[in-house]
């Protein structure tokens, strides 16, 4: 399937014999559409977030309440056709969260007020100049207002008020043109401002009183979920990296598209990397909300949530890099990976536990002492670092001529104590195997054992070829040179370099894991700053 394990023949039936699936038959001739599948997708979408249904119902209720002003005779006689502006205001102003609705309502109210004042002033000036120059003044004012508002909404510091400038533009144009034709610009402007105020009042009232959806609460939950997602993805990646190579690697196309169905936490971690815009939008909306729920004091530090989310995304970058090593073409042998299995697992588990504790503290809005947990994380990381330093010879002296029966066994490690052995002792232990081999080669075997050695050498040569076909990189190139007898003196150094690169991929994985732990210190500091500014309660009080 992927060019490594052979090929599979796939028989495709002819077009005349191919049959449409049952879904297409029961769809009334519309290929690819199924009512059952459509309603099931709608149900899953609603079950994923119930607030989506509540938001839709609240918008429908607001539009209904404003429409009653037109359906009833008395309000319609008072406002006339200008009451339609109330429906337009509700449709434009009603947002998903309360904070976003307040923000949009402020821009709408301020823009409409400024547009009404400007329209009345220009209309009065045009009336004073006479009927001949009146259209020229109105046209010139529309051109100037359109140019100025369009330029100002592009100014970097005024980008958050872009909707307000757009409201100024179309409200001014509609009021000044309709007032010119109807002959009463002041009354037209006042009636429309009243209608806009009615629509804004209904939208805010319904959004706040009927099952409110607070942006601050959404931001709080999103940040807590990100902590758990990064922790789950880290443990999932380490677990799969230390598993036996019984499963085939995914195809290259699936690797590029990040299609790993057996790694659900990976997909969630990938979505966490793209959450910066969402967190910033929720934080800017939450600033407009009054104290509510657990956030009961004014000027709540919502910007600190964005800072914590930014530091957490840097940790997620390291996890994604670990997944990149996991799905890379160059892989360290399995016996080399399980040699450091205990140290890698301990470091990953301690780091994931710290992440979950931080997420729990933010969720409960409490401060807890994390000194002991940080010490355990650093201790496990230092243990992994020492193991890599002490046994670094395993990363450069992998013997690919070992039989494949020993491939699942961990490589021998030196039982060296840092406190008892000196560097001189360590170097002597590392050079002992080499000296023994030199002593053995100095004394040639008797002639009677040459046939036995020849058979043994042929056996090891066969096992060497099988081992390289299974575990070397690139496997196809090695196999071709082995079979064609083209393994010259210039190819052997290249193969040794490739094998060394495969072994060094383990060093890459462990270094990324250590870097991840190093970034946890910055994450702890960011959470502490958030807890201080947000006045989290001390645990135990």
């Amino acid at each position: 399937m992927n060019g490594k394990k052979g090929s599979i023949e796939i028989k495709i039936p002819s077009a005349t014999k191919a049959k449409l699936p049952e879904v297409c038959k029961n769809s009334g001739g519309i290929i690819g559409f199924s009512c059952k599948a459509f309603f099931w997708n709608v149900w899953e979408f609603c079950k994923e977030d119930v607030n989506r249904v509540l938001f839709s119902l609240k918008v429908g209720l607001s539009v209904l309440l404003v429409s009653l002003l037109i359906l009833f005779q008395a309000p319609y006689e008072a406002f006339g056709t200008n009451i339609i502006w109330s429906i337009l205001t509700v449709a434009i102003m009603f947002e998903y969260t309360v904070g976003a609705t307040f923000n949009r309502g402020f821009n709408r109210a301020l823009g409409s007020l400024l547009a009404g004042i400007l329209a009345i002033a220009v209309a009065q000036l045009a009336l004073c100049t006479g009927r001949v120059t009146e259209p020229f003044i109105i046209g010139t004012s529309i051109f100037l207002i359109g140019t100025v508002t369009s330029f100002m909404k592009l100014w970097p510091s005024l980008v958050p008020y872009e909707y307000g400038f757009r409201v100024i533009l179309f409200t001014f144009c509609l009021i000044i043109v309709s007032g010119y034709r109807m002959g009463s610009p002041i009354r037209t402007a006042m009636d429309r401002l009243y209608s806009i105020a009615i629509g804004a009042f209904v939208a805010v009232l319904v959004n706040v009183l009927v099952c409110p959806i607070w942006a601050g609460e959404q931001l709080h939950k999103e940040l807590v979920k990100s902590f758990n997602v990064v922790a789950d993805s880290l443990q999932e990646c380490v677990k799969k990296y230390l598993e036996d190579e019984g499963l085939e690697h995914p195809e290259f196309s699936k690797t590029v598209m990040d299609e790993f169905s057996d790694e659900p936490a990976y997909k969630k971690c990938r979505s966490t990397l793209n959450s910066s815009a969402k967190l910033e939008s929720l934080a800017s909306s939450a600033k407009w909300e009054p104290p509510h729920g657990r956030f009961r004091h004014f000027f709540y530090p919502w910007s600190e949530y964005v800072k914590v989310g930014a530091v957490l995304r840097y940790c997620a970058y390291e996890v994604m890099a670990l997944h990149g090593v996991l799905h890379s073409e160059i892989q360290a042998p399995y016996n080399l990976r399980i040699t450091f299995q205990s140290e890698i697992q301990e470091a990953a588990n301690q780091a994931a536990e710290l992440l979950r504790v931080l997420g729990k503290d933010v969720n409960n809005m409490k401060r807890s002492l994390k000194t002991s947990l940080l010490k355990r994380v650093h201790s496990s990381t230092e243990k992994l670092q020492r193991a890599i330093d002490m046994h670094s010879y395993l990363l450069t002296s992998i013997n690919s001529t070992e039989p494949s029966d020993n491939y699942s066994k961990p490589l021998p490690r030196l039982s060296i104590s840092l406190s008892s052995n000196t560097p001189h002792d360590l170097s002597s232990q590392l050079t002992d195997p080499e000296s023994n081999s030199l002593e053995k080669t100095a004394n040639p075997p008797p002639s009677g054992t040459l046939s036995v050695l020849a058979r043994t050498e042929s056996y090891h040569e066969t096992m060497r070829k099988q081992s390289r076909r299974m575990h070397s990189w690139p496997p196809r190139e090695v196999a071709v040179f082995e079979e064609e007898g083209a393994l010259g003196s210039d190819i052997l150094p290249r193969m040794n370099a490739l094998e060394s690169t495969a072994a060094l991929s383990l060093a890459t994985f462990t270094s990324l894991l250590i870097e991840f732990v190093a970034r946890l210190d910055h994450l702890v500091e960011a959470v502490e700053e958030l807890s201080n500014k947000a006045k989290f309660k001390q645990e135990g009080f």
Side-chain angles (χ1 to χ4, degrees), residues 10 22 117 215 226 279 319:
I10 301 177
E22 296 296 332
I117 294 175
S226 299
L279 293 181
V319 177

Side-chain angles (χ1 to χ4, degrees), residues 95-105 207 213-216 282 284-290:
E95 291 291 332
Y96 186 76
T97 61
V98 176
T101 302
F102 275 112
N103 187 9
R104 182 63 67 92
N207 207 343
I213 303 174
W214 302 100
L282 289 174
S284 61
S285 299
K287 294 177 181 179
W288 292 88
E289 295 177 348

